[in-house]
Amino acid sequence: GQQLNQSPQSMFIQEGEDVSMNCTSSSIFNTWLWYKQDPGEGPVLLIALYKAGELTSNGRLTAQFGITRKDSFLNISASIPSDVGIYFCAGLNTGGFKTIFGAGTRLFVKA
Amino acid sequence: GAVVSQHPSWVICKSGTSVKIECRSLDFQATTMFWYRQFPKQSLMLMATSNEGSKATYEQGVEKDKFLINHASLTLSTLTVTSAHPEDSSFYICSASFRGLDYGYTFGSGTRLTVV
């Protein structure tokens, strides 16, 4: 079945540093989504990408939909302690409705 | 924005009993709802897809007689874990979609199930 490879698995950074994480797949997706999950909570949508090559920002977050439609990255600039959490990429083919999730990137920010 | 309410947020039950988890879309009609299971430090695993008024579609390996899903209205889907056992202890999360809004699914806050 379809799988997403998300990296890195975890990151330990200093407050103020920039962060980059990415997802790759052997399959093509029509939509890429990035979520953040805090402990004991459901994932919250950060950014949705609908077109190959699309670059979208949400505050300090920037995500891009790869040209090949098989990858996406998420950047966080000037990290702050509340950025701590698990970030999931997700790929979606609208025809099938199913969302495929990456394994997640655990972000730790040291003040 | 679209809000999905999931209840209860946590539940402890005895082995052999059944537990019902509710997922409600508060300000939109959810034509499709999804149920996920998440083990500690792991990603979300899709269990089943439920469409209003029809039978749920279960993913391979998910026992439909054990995880009963009912999507009786456009705003409510329920997951019942029947005859729960300790290995069913997990974090269960629902999500809902409404085509026409953005395709990013809105998630509930999750239910932590502990079977003792």
Side-chain angles (χ1 to χ4, degrees):
Chain A
Q2 294 178 308
Q3 284 188 320
L4 296 184
N5 298 310
Q6 185 172 351
S7 65
Q9 274 190 327
S10 59
M11 302 181 74
F12 294 79
I13 63 170
Q14 288 285 136
E15 182 178 4
E17 289 184 358
D18 296 343
V19 171
S20 184
M21 59 191 79
N22 68 84
C23 269
T24 60
S25 173
S26 58
S27 304
I28 289 174
F29 288 101
N30 295 331
T31 300
W32 281 92
L33 308 165
W34 284 93
Y35 289 89
K36 183 190 178 200
Q37 184 178 29
D38 291 325
E41 298 288 333
V44 173
L45 181 66
L46 299 174
I47 293 179
L49 302 160
Y50 304 114
K51 285 172 56 176
E54 180 180 356
L55 183 70
T56 297
S57 293
N58 178 6
R60 294 179 294 105
L61 278 61
T62 302
Q64 184 158 30
F65 191 146
I67 290 290
T68 64
R69 295 165 63 196
K70 293 182 178 181
D71 63 319
S72 177
F73 71 74
L74 173 71
N75 287 341
I76 305 173
S77 63
S79 58
I80 58 178
S82 62
D83 291 334
V84 166
I86 306 173
Y87 292 80
F88 290 102
C89 64
L92 172 66
N93 283 322
T94 53
F97 284 98
K98 283 186 188 178
T99 306
I100 309 297
F101 283 86
T105 295
R106 292 178 171 271
L107 179 63
F108 300 88
V109 180
K110 185 177 179 182
Chain B
V3 177
V4 173
S5 174
Q6 187 171 343
H7 179 81
S9 55
W10 61 269
V11 58
I12 301 173
C13 71
K14 288 186 177 180
S15 188
T17 61
S18 295
V19 173
K20 180 185 284 188
I21 302 170
E22 292 188 349
C23 182
R24 295 180 184 272
S25 56
L26 296 187
D27 49 4
F28 67 103
Q29 292 183 325
T31 52
T32 304
M33 287 189 174
F34 302 87
W35 287 95
Y36 293 85
R37 185 173 181 176
Q38 186 178 31
F39 290 105
K41 298 187 179 181
Q42 294 192 21
S43 189
L44 288 77
M45 291 177 49
L46 181 64
M47 298 174 66
T49 302
S50 74
N51 293 297
E52 184 266 340
S54 62
K55 288 184 179 180
T57 302
Y58 290 81
E59 295 300 299
Q60 193 171 10
V62 178
E63 299 175 59
K64 60 182 179 182
D65 293 330
K66 179 164 190 63
F67 299 100
L68 300 179
I69 290 172
N70 185 290
H71 194 158
S73 76
L74 285 171
T75 59
L76 174 65
S77 176
T78 60
L79 168 68
T80 301
V81 183
T82 63
S83 187
H85 290 287
E87 58 264 30
D88 298 325
S89 299
S90 188
F91 193 55
Y92 293 87
I93 315 173
C94 67
S95 72
S97 76
F98 171 52
R99 290 186 68 98
L101 298 179
D102 65 74
Y103 287 126
Y105 296 105
T106 303
F107 283 83
S109 55
T111 297
R112 170 74 57 195
L113 171 63
T114 302
V115 184
V116 297

